[in-house]
Amino acid sequence: MPARGNANPTGLRRRHGHHNKGSLRSIQNILFVTLVVLGLIYYRVSVYLLQGGKTAAKGTVHNHRPLDTQYIHELQEQGLLLPSKTLNTYQEWRDYATQLASLTPEKIVKTLKLLDPFGVRTFEAKLLEAESEKKAFLTQEELRSIFPCPTSSTTQQQEQQRITLPDQRNSDKARAFRNGTEPYFLFFQHLRKAGGTNFCSLAQHNLPKKQVPKYYCMPDYYWEAPGRPCAGCFSRFDTKTITKHMKEDGHKILGNEWDAFDPDHYFDLPATFATSFRRPLDRALSQFRFECIEDRGCKIKNVTKWWDKRSKDLTNVYVWTFSNEGVRKLSIGTTKADSERRQKVLGRALDVVARFNLVMAMEWLAYAPNHVQRVLGFRDTKTLTERVRPHIAQHKRDDGQERNVMGAAGIAKASWTPENYLPPETYTRMSHDLALDEILTDAARRMFLERLVCDDVSMFD
Ligand SMILES: *[C@@H]1O[C@H](CO)[C@@H](O)[C@H](O)[C@H]1NC(C)=O
Ligand SMILES: *[C@@H]1O[C@H](CO)[C@@H](O)[C@H](O)[C@H]1NC(C)=O
């Protein structure tokens, strides 16, 4: 049993109280935490209303769970978009997500923040609170008590509320990879600073050494190709060449880090597909910290200047990755045509992610072991609860977070918080530049969560 009362990762745990009786203390704990949380919500909503809401502060406590009708009405009047009905199938979730993408970036961001249509932000707040309180990961049952499986696919067909149904993953290929059929391999779409290195380490623990490419799970480092040598740049090769190399070299994992995923061709590969998401602003800030603050090829120390320079290629980088289409112009454009293009490109990216056999959320990896084992057949999943940093010898960070025993609360502690680190205008600009990625990430997180807590999809794993 860990000692209570010290090491407080979120600041939510109370510090006062002199009673010895455990039950009284825990009631006080609950009351206190509830008050603090209500206070925070009240504060955030007030700030929002003062800053952006036309309706101005009214003094009402707007709790963001049971959203009262009046509050929802106010938000809708501001142009935020709530689903008009319960979303039960992938198609319905997709329709809603693309409608949302048609709004201005500002309204997209506000809708996700204040209305949490995918339910993942409310879940995350509850998860961080529960982990901090417990000072450990939750059990599967505790996780389910926070996010129960939305109704199963076999009962009540009317009200499934499942973005993962009908399941669109190719389970034959996943099985072929698991049972070692030649030439099936694992295709990992590596979103930078979103858990990729950890994933490669997971593969190293589970595949024979000769099956894992030596250079960060990127086999093409050794392949012959015209131009500059590159690793994790697979757009240079057609699928036939990729398959041939993988077979000849006996490699079983391919990490594509620098190029977009080409949905028109890559799904033809003899492969099972995996990826890992991270909250977009956290990811961007982590890249800045890794490359610029820790001096890996970038000299800019001012994050605003860095974004000025990099927003060209980092705007909605997730949506770019999964749609394989240029997104910068449509992301910030204000015309009707831009709005329509946003819908199209988001829909395309979402369709691709829905076909990935394994979609993970980096912040919640500690809950993935069973899911990862079912999909990939990997048994040694301890890396999922460890933080692995690339090039660690190059610049070691002694923040006590090399091993994550705190679950999502531990990750939150180790990251720089965008709200705190970024100047307000930069924060707003980056949020808007990453608005479509926010939608895609929330949808992907919901997929991951549903697959964690719902038993009825394991036959598609
Ligand atoms: C492996 O999986 C594939 C795809 O489902 C299947 O056709 C094949 O029979 C399996 N092989 C073994 C040895 O289980
Ligand atoms: C960072 O750069 C921006 C834009 O050039 C500038 O306005 C700001 O003052 C800089 N911040 C610091 C701390 O130098």
Side-chain angles (χ1 to χ4, degrees), residues 417-435:
T417 317
E419 287 87 341
N420 297 337
Y421 185 82
L422 298 170
E425 311 81 59
T426 311
Y427 176 80
T428 303
R429 187 149 59 88
M430 286 176 71
S431 303
H432 293 176
D433 286 344
L434 296 169

Side-chain angles (χ1 to χ4, degrees), residues 247-273:
K247 221 191 302 197
E248 280 174 7
D249 300 344
H251 286 150
K252 286 287 177 191
I253 179 168
L254 177 162
N256 185 33
E257 176 164 357
W258 298 98
D259 290 346
F261 186 88
D262 173 2
D264 298 328
H265 298 101
Y266 289 174
F267 281 127
D268 298 335
L269 288 166
T272 187
F273 298 90

Side-chain angles (χ1 to χ4, degrees), residues 88-317:
N88 291 313
T89 59
Y90 175 73
Q91 192 56 45
E92 291 177 6
W93 281 99
R94 184 192 194 279
D95 288 347
Y96 170 70
T98 52
Q99 271 177 39
L100 189 55
S102 76
L103 303 185
T104 63
E106 186 190 2
K107 284 180 181 153
I108 294 170
V109 169
K110 272 192 188 167
T111 297
L112 294 172
K113 204 173 214 161
L114 296 172
L115 297 169
D116 186 26
F118 293 92
V120 291
R121 296 174 184 229
T122 313
F123 163 79
E124 178 155 65
K126 288 183 186 168
L127 180 69
L128 286 173
E129 197 185 316
E131 284 177 347
S132 304
E133 179 70 14
K134 194 183 172 192
K135 298 196 172 190
F137 298 134
L138 307 189
T139 64
Q140 204 65 21
E141 289 82 67
E142 286 166 335
L143 189 74
R144 283 202 174 98
S145 73
I146 298 182
F147 190 93
C149 178
T151 327
S152 87
S153 61
T154 47
T155 57
Q156 296 194 13
Q157 290 292 339
Q158 312 305 320
E159 292 269 299
Q160 297 180 161
Q161 301 183 32
R162 300 275 287 277
I163 194 172
T164 53
L165 293 178
D167 205 303
Q168 296 165 69
R169 295 174 293 164
N170 185 328
S171 57
D172 281 339
K173 286 186 175 185
R175 198 175 313 113
F177 171 73
R178 282 198 299 273
N179 73 19
T181 304
E182 287 297 336
Y184 287 84
F185 64 90
L186 169 56
F187 190 113
F188 181 67
Q189 184 63 44
H190 183 163
L191 300 170
R192 303 202 60 218
K193 311 309 294 171
T197 307
N198 193 313
F199 192 84
C200 183
S201 165
L202 173 75
Q204 283 163 344
H205 280 85
N206 287 279
L207 295 171
K209 204 169 169 192
K210 61 177 178 9
Q211 293 184 358
V212 182
K214 283 194 185 63
Y215 191 79
Y216 295 100
C217 291
M218 298 166 184
D220 58 331
Y221 189 72
Y222 305 98
W223 298 356
E224 267 178 43
R228 231 153 52 93
C230 184
C233 315
F234 289 91
S235 66
R236 299 174 295 166
F237 308 102
D238 60 21
T239 52
K240 247 176 83 187
T241 310
I242 295 174
T243 309
K244 176 175 145 287
H245 276 297
M246 294 301 283
K247 221 191 302 197
E248 280 174 7
D249 300 344
H251 286 150
K252 286 287 177 191
I253 179 168
L254 177 162
N256 185 33
E257 176 164 357
W258 298 98
D259 290 346
F261 186 88
D262 173 2
D264 298 328
H265 298 101
Y266 289 174
F267 281 127
D268 298 335
L269 288 166
T272 187
F273 298 90
T275 194
S276 171
F277 282 83
R278 179 181 191 175
R279 279 187 316 211
L281 262 82
D282 287 351
R283 194 217 68 78
L285 196 51
S286 174
Q287 183 173 349
F288 170 69
R289 179 183 182 180
F290 182 79
E291 291 176 1
C292 308
I293 298 298
E294 296 177 359
D295 294 315
R296 293 184 188 91
C298 164
K299 298 263 178 266
I300 307 170
K301 304 291 176 195
N302 177 323
V303 70
T304 306
K305 287 209 172 97
W306 176 73
W307 193 252
D308 285 343
K309 188 166 168 223
R310 296 302 303 276
S311 58
K312 230 174 93 198
D313 63 308
L314 293 180
T315 293
N316 290 318
V317 63

Side-chain angles (χ1 to χ4, degrees), residues 202 206 368-370 372-373 378-386:
L202 173 75
N206 287 279
N370 292 341
V372 165
Q373 187 171 336
F378 289 175
R379 293 180 176 281
D380 182 348
T381 51
K382 67 173 179 291
T383 51
L384 295 174
T385 53
E386 278 169 1

